[in-house]
Amino acid sequence: MEFKVSDLEQEPIDFDVALEPGRVELGEEAEQVGLLAAAGRAEVLHEHRGPKEIVSDIRLKGQFKGNFEVKCARCVEPVGLPLEAEYDLIFRPAEVDAVSGERSITASETEIGYYEGDSLLLEDVLREQVLLSLPVRTLCKPDCKGLCPHCGENRNQTECDCAEKATDPRWGALGDFRGRIKQ
Ligand SMILES: [Zn+2]
Ligand SMILES: [Zn+2]
């Protein structure tokens, strides 16, 4: 869904959409399961920078809700993750700050996003919001045993005997070291 500044200048646009998986490109980080619901309002905010310079920012306020799958940080099995979050964001035309690059940027301004050309894509905003709301690390269960570093088996499902067979490499290195001092 595209919000054109020229349309928003006429009146704010309320949106309430349900997006099929794939509309919001999430890359490797997460997979969308089922519809992604998003609702809210887009409007123009005029930023007066001088007697003649008026910048048209787009404000997007709303929420999203959907189900996602991410990989377990230890065993890489998919883990279901329901996510929902609210957002209240300001997008400034990309060319405005590119021109006045020497302006000092305050802390609050770093939170500002940019839109290219004359419109903002809801899908782009949702992509960022979903990725931001992902936990840093997800485990399928708190005591996930992960993958065996030797044979790659999922140790939650299979008890491999690699641990018994393999000698601990740290002891191996120590053995070499001992051998060297003797010489
Ligand atoms: Zn796991
Ligand atoms: Zn193994």
Side-chain angles (χ1 to χ4, degrees):
M1 183 174 190
E2 188 179 24
F3 301 110
K4 282 189 171 294
V5 180
S6 52
D7 293 340
L8 296 175
E9 295 276 9
Q10 307 299 314
E11 58 180 348
I13 294 175
D14 292 317
F15 60 93
D16 189 353
V17 295
L19 302 174
E20 299 278 351
R23 289 279 300 279
V24 177
E25 182 54 59
L26 296 172
E28 298 283 297
E29 303 261 342
E31 195 174 323
Q32 182 187 325
V33 180
L35 295 173
L36 170 60
R41 163 170 282 213
E43 63 188 333
V44 159
L45 292 183
H46 289 129
E47 208 183 323
H48 295 263
R49 290 194 165 183
K52 287 190 182 150
E53 195 191 357
I54 297 171
V55 176
S56 295
D57 294 341
I58 298 177
R59 181 187 189 187
L60 198 69
K61 189 178 186 316
Q63 67 275 331
F64 78 83
K65 187 175 182 177
N67 289 306
F68 300 85
E69 261 181 13
V70 296
K71 289 188 169 76
C72 169
R74 284 188 199 148
C75 72
V76 300
E77 287 293 315
V79 185
L81 195 65
L83 288 178
E84 58 180 299
E86 295 188 347
Y87 42 85
D88 188 355
L89 307 160
I90 303 284
F91 297 88
R92 187 177 279 164
E95 67 271 14
V96 170
D97 285 355
V99 176
S100 50
E102 75 277 12
R103 273 176 3 100
S104 64
I105 293 172
T106 64
S108 66
E109 279 183 292
T110 60
E111 306 292 322
I112 284 180
Y114 293 93
Y115 65 91
E116 302 280 344
D118 60 358
S119 65
L120 178 70
L121 268 183
L122 177 63
E123 287 82 351
D124 288 346
V125 177
L126 290 175
R127 171 181 189 277
E128 198 176 342
Q129 293 304 305
V130 170
L131 294 179
L132 279 174
S133 60
L134 289 177
V136 177
R137 182 179 153 90
T138 305
L139 294 178
C140 60
K141 51 184 179 180
D143 60 346
C144 170
K145 294 177 189 155
L147 300 177
C148 169
H150 304 291
C151 68
E153 282 290 348
N154 184 337
R155 287 192 288 200
N156 299 306
Q157 292 157 7
T158 321
E159 279 296 334
C160 62
D161 56 0
C162 296
E164 291 151 33
K165 281 190 299 196
T167 50
D168 190 317
R170 283 171 300 177
W171 291 112
L174 190 60
D176 288 346
F177 181 61
R178 280 198 186 119
R180 264 179 276 136
I181 5 186
K182 269 182 203 158
Q183 287 164 8

